[in-house]
Amino acid sequence: MTNLEKYDKLFMESFRVKAEDLPTITYRGIPAWDSVGHMEFMSALEEMFKISLSTLDVLDFSSYEKGKTILAKYGVEL
């Protein structure tokens, strides 16, 4: 499984969304992605990719697309 497939799967499982909806998903744009859902997702993301996100990056992680940019900073190629 590629890193992009892992990333997509985590989004779909965490927020119960379909693959075709991923590009438009934003923080608080769906009920499941609230503050609690966000922190659970960040924890799962760190565990999956064996990284430790900075507080600023956790706060800046506001959409599916923005997440790709942030992960690239940590050497995660999607």
Side-chain angles (χ1 to χ4, degrees), residues 49-67:
F49 292 113
K50 308 293 186 235
I51 58 173
S52 182
L53 297 167
S54 74
T55 301
L56 291 176
D57 285 333
V58 169
L59 295 172
D60 198 32
F61 202 113
S62 57
S63 71
Y64 171 82
E65 293 298 331
K66 182 67 176 181

Side-chain angles (χ1 to χ4, degrees), residues 12-43:
M12 290 185 289
E13 289 176 354
S14 296
F15 302 126
R16 298 174 297 284
V17 294
K18 297 176 184 169
E20 58 267 16
D21 297 330
L22 292 176
T24 61
I25 300 281
T26 60
Y27 176 59
R28 296 189 186 229
I30 56 172
W33 198 355
D34 58 8
S35 58
V36 173
H38 185 72
M39 294 313 295
E40 290 173 351
F41 180 73
M42 294 294 104
S43 178

